[in-house]
């Protein structure tokens, strides 16, 4: 029997089948190590084959279908293990906030580069727009201008009151499978409650001491939208370490850096300290945003163990 994985808790999965509805399944121990290096060999969005239980026996996942794509991350720069957030996606919505808590541009850029590597389009959703003061509104506008200039769609959103940006987001999500991701506290659960109010998912508060979010979502789950399509809710992501990205291809995942790289003196330029580097010249000239270049250097550092310094 075949089906779609709609929930993963770590120890078990729930599979949506045409014949039997929702089926709770386990994963056989030997399946976990069969050429799959991630901490979760089965992820939400996977199409799987399951056993049909008899006599009260539990169902088991026995095979995973070929994945069209996936989003994978390394939880920290020191970790050698990967974690698959979701599979077979049409799009990601990266939920970020200007403050309370502030989402760093390094986190945004690492997520975008990873999605670019695995060919998943990303829309950046700037949430909590109802809380902006004048300076925060200006910052949000500036970041939208930066990322839209690179080619990413940006939406400013008030998910608490289901106002600004929600209509545009609904139109974007229709008939697509979309991963909703971001740091803890950026309002992912509030956003999903706005889109699907009958779920009434539990939301958390922001830590007064650290100005960070507290986890309320503890496992990944897929929800069907009434207008068509699916959204995948995931636990908040603290950091986004790159995984299995070779240095020679890193610039490919930063569209504006890749576009400039054709004018470098050397075809294998790493854009770190080589002479006549068109990328570093573009940074100096303000054609490439310095924050994007520093994010690029940080990801190159992940793969080499070296600390790079900008020559600016």
């Amino acid at each position: 029997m075949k089906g779609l994985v709609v929930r993963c808790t770590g120890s078990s999965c729930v599979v949506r089948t045409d014949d039997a509805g929702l089926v709770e399944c386990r994963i056989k121990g030997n399946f976990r190590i069969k050429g799959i290096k991630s901490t979760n060999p089965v992820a939400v969005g996977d199409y799987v084959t399951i056993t049909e239980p008899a006599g009260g026996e539990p169902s088991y996942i026995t095979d995973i279908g070929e994945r069209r794509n996936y989003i994978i991350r390394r939880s920290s720069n020191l970790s050698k293990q990967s974690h698959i957030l979701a599979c077979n996606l049409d799009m990601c919505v990266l939920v970020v906030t200007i403050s309370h808590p502030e989402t760093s541009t390094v986190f945004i850029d690492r997520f975008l580069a990873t999605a670019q590597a695995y060919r998943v389009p990303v829309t950046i959703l700037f949430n909590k727009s109802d809380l902006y003061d004048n300076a925060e509104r200006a910052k949000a506008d500036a970041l939208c201008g930066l990322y839209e200039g690179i080619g990413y769609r940006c939406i400013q959103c008030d998910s608490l009151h289901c106002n600004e940006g929600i209509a545009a987001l609904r139109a974007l999500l229709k008939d697509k499978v979309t991963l909703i991701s971001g740091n803890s506290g950026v309002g992912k659960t509030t956003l999903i409650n706005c889109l699907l109010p009958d779920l009434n998912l539990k939301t958390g508060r922001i830590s007064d001491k650290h100005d960070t979010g507290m986890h309320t979502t503890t496992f990944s789950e897929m929800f069907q939208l009434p207008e068509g399509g699916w959204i995948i809710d995931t636990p908040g992501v603290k950091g986004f370490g790159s995984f299995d990205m070779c240095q020679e291809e890193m610039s490919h995942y930063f569209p504006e850096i890749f576009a400039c790289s054709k004018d470098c003196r050397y075809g294998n330029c790493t854009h770190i300290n080589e002479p006549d580097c068109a990328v570093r010249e573009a940074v100096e000239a303000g054609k490439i945003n310095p924050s994007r270049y520093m994010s690029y250097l940080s990801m190159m550092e992940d793969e080499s163990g070296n600390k790079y310094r900008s020559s600016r």
Side-chain angles (χ1 to χ4, degrees), residues 5 8 10-13 15 25-43 46-51 59-67 84 87:
V5 177
C8 279
S11 58
S12 66
C13 296
V15 178
C25 301
R26 299 179 186 176
I27 305 171
K28 284 188 176 289
N30 60 354
F31 185 72
R32 288 183 171 276
I33 60 172
K34 194 171 67 175
I36 301 175
K37 299 177 182 178
S38 66
T39 56
N40 57 330
V42 179
D46 268 325
Y47 290 94
V48 297
T49 302
I50 64 176
T51 60
S59 295
Y60 282 93
I61 293 174
T62 57
D63 189 44
I64 303 176
E66 184 176 352
R67 289 166 173 161
I84 300 171
C87 304

Side-chain angles (χ1 to χ4, degrees), residues 59-179:
S59 295
Y60 282 93
I61 293 174
T62 57
D63 189 44
I64 303 176
E66 184 176 352
R67 289 166 173 161
R68 177 162 53 100
N69 57 34
Y70 51 86
I71 293 290
I72 191 170
R73 75 180 186 99
R74 182 167 56 188
S75 58
S76 72
N77 291 346
L78 299 177
S79 173
K80 294 183 178 180
Q81 289 188 306
S82 65
H83 181 80
I84 300 171
L85 296 183
C87 304
N88 300 314
L89 302 166
D90 296 311
M91 183 176 66
C92 290
V93 170
L94 178 62
V95 184
V96 303
T97 42
I98 296 299
S99 60
H100 308 300
E102 179 182 2
T103 304
S104 72
T105 54
V106 171
F107 178 86
I108 295 172
D109 293 338
R110 284 172 172 265
F111 189 98
L112 295 178
T114 300
Q116 187 91 6
Y118 292 98
R119 301 178 299 280
V120 184
V122 179
T123 291
I124 307 173
L125 188 83
F126 289 84
N127 201 16
K128 303 187 181 182
S129 61
D130 55 307
L131 301 180
Y132 293 167
D133 59 23
N134 290 338
E136 290 165 342
R137 175 68 69 177
K139 182 177 179 181
D141 290 343
L143 287 175
C144 284
L146 165 62
Y147 289 109
E148 286 174 344
I150 297 167
Y152 293 101
R153 179 164 183 171
C154 296
I155 298 174
Q156 296 192 40
C157 178
D158 171 11
S159 63
L160 181 62
H161 304 100
C162 293
N163 288 333
E164 183 181 7
I166 292 298
L169 179 62
R170 284 189 184 279
L172 203 61
L173 296 175
K174 189 176 185 300
D175 297 329
K176 294 185 177 70
V177 176
T178 304
L179 171 69

Side-chain angles (χ1 to χ4, degrees), residues 11 15-16 25 27 31 67-68 76-77 85 88 93 107 125 190 193 214 227 234 237-238 240 256 258 262-263 298-299:
S11 58
V15 178
R16 184 177 186 264
C25 301
I27 305 171
F31 185 72
R67 289 166 173 161
R68 177 162 53 100
S76 72
N77 291 346
L85 296 183
N88 300 314
V93 170
F107 178 86
L125 188 83
T190 300
N193 280 337
M214 300 180 182
E227 58 268 30
T234 56
V237 179
K238 190 176 229 181
F240 212 91
E256 73 278 38
F258 183 64
K262 68 180 185 302
D263 296 324
S298 77
M299 293 187 73

Side-chain angles (χ1 to χ4, degrees), residues 248-271 276-282 288 296:
E248 293 78 9
E249 296 179 352
M250 193 68 71
S251 65
H252 297 194
Y253 311 138
F254 289 75
E256 73 278 38
I257 291 178
F258 183 64
C260 283
S261 65
K262 68 180 185 302
D263 296 324
C264 290
R265 178 178 176 183
Y266 299 106
N268 62 346
C269 185
T270 63
H271 320 303
D276 300 323
C277 172
V279 169
R280 286 189 290 117
E281 290 173 1
I288 293 176
Y296 166 78

